[in-house]
Structure formats: C-alpha cells, structure tokens
Amino acid sequence: MSGREVFLRHCTVAGDEVATTWEEACADLIIEGLPIRVPPTYRGQRSYPGLFWAATNDRTLVYESLLELDRLWLADHDPSVEGICTQPFLVTGCNSDGLRAHVPGLLFVHSDRTVTLVDAKPATFLENPRVRAHFGWTRASCRDKGSRYEIFSGGNPTVLRNLKLLAVGRRPGRLPDGCLAEARCVSGKIRSAPSPRPSADEVHAAALMHRRAQA
C-alpha cells in the first residue's frame, strides 16, 4: 500500500479543517490542533468519554473511553513524550476490502521526533476479523510513514494507581510554596552524598552468607 493512496484530514487550532495526503501530513501541526471529532455522549452508552488535562503540553484533551484515559495517564508521565493529542485526524484510503476510514484514538510525538499512533481496544475485540483487518490496515499505513503503531488493551493497574496518586505533582500551582524547591534540594543532596560504608556487623553477615553459598 502506497502512502499516496491514503488521505488525511485534521483541524488547526482555529478549528479549520486541513486536507492533505498521508505522506505530507505533519505530526507537529496535528499535535497543535483540535480533535477532528468529539466523542458523543448519550444515555446508555458503553464507553465513558471525558476530559483529561495533559501536563505534557499543558492542554485539555478529550478521550472516548476509560481505556484511552489509562493510556493518557501513562503517556503524560512518560519523559520521552513531548506532545499528545486525541482524536487527531481522519484517515481514509482503499485496499482490497474497499474504502477504509478511521479516526485513531491518540497521537504522541516523542523527544527524538518519532511518532506513535495508538488505538485503545479491549483484548476481547481483537479476535474479531473486521477489527483485526481495520487495525492491520492502520498499522501498514504507519509502517509506510515510518511511525509506530500501538494497540492498547490495558496497563498494569498498580502502575496506573501510583501515577494517579502522584498526579498532583503535575500541577506545581497546587503544591505548597517552596515544596518543589525543597524536594529538588533534598534530591540533589541524596545524589551527591557518598554511599555509606557498611558497618562491621553488615560485613560479617555478608561474609557468612558468602561462605554458606560456597559450601
């Protein structure tokens, strides 16, 4: 599949739609813009859309499901991620199955200027042939452009709980005055302090364990 057969539409920060080819699309411009669509909300829906404030690029993002929200938490604490946007563009193209059209969930731009496109989908849906074919087409499009493609089906719940607990640190304005400066000072002292010398008892215990291991 050639990139010339794939087309893309995205929104600028002013809300104007831009039509371009997959080859010529610029991730840095897409990151700065608005979502191409806002997930709908209606009574009885299975997903839980909402808003997420991203410290990475200091903006509020829409998400379509709690699975997308979990991936946003992980990305917003990833030091390699410099830009995040959601519902970034509509991509269309043709393959052997006919016309394809897809709005991916998340787009990340990394500090090394590489790009990751993410679709969030529960693992139980990934065995569906139509879903697999759709994601396979998206993966092939990303491969043509030299971008990474990820299907996210859930993260480590312990890691996610810890990230949410630490999330107040993403907003320095909510911390007490001087808290960050004191934390940096303490952190610097810990890094620069020499490693403590082991006590005589610790040396004796280590030697005893070594001898038992050799026995």
Side-chain angles (χ1 to χ4, degrees), residues 7-205:
F7 301 90
L8 182 147
R9 298 179 69 88
H10 67 94
C11 279
T12 68
V13 68
D16 300 319
E17 283 199 10
V18 176
T20 183
T21 64
W22 181 253
E23 280 185 322
E24 296 175 350
C26 177
D28 288 331
L29 295 178
I30 296 172
I31 284 284
E32 295 175 356
L34 301 177
I36 193 67
R37 64 182 284 270
V38 176
T41 58
Y42 53 89
R43 181 176 297 178
Q45 69 184 113
R46 295 184 179 181
S47 60
Y48 294 89
L51 300 174
F52 176 84
W53 182 81
T56 298
N57 41 353
D58 191 17
R59 63 184 299 187
T60 300
L61 306 170
V62 298
Y63 60 84
E64 191 165 16
S65 67
L66 297 182
L67 203 54
E68 281 190 9
L69 176 60
D70 282 348
R71 191 61 184 90
L72 284 170
W73 278 113
L74 295 171
D76 205 33
H77 285 81
D78 184 346
S80 76
V81 176
E82 287 193 349
I84 303 174
C85 66
T86 57
Q87 310 292 308
F89 52 75
L90 168 66
V91 58
T92 59
C94 293
N95 65 359
S96 58
D97 296 326
L99 179 66
R100 294 274 181 188
H102 181 47
V103 177
L106 312 167
L107 179 69
F108 306 144
V109 174
H110 301 270
S111 54
D112 61 1
R113 311 323 301 161
T114 57
V115 174
T116 299
L117 193 65
V118 179
D119 274 311
K121 185 70 72 173
T124 53
F125 286 81
L126 300 182
E127 297 303 317
N128 185 308
R130 294 181 62 184
V131 173
R132 294 176 63 180
H134 203 62
F135 286 169
W137 175 77
T138 307
R139 185 184 300 279
S141 298
C142 288
R143 185 170 58 245
D144 289 343
K145 196 171 175 62
S147 303
R148 290 192 291 267
Y149 180 62
E150 174 190 337
I151 300 173
F152 180 75
S153 296
N156 185 309
T158 302
V159 172
L160 286 165
R161 280 198 301 269
N162 288 336
L163 292 181
K164 294 170 186 179
L165 179 66
L166 298 170
V168 66
R170 301 181 309 146
R171 299 194 180 205
R174 293 192 174 184
L175 298 175
D177 293 341
C179 181
L180 287 180
E182 183 177 350
R184 294 190 186 101
C185 180
V186 172
S187 177
K189 289 180 180 179
I190 292 174
R191 287 196 299 268
S192 61
S195 299
R197 297 184 62 181
S199 66
D201 289 341
E202 290 173 329
V203 172
H204 177 71

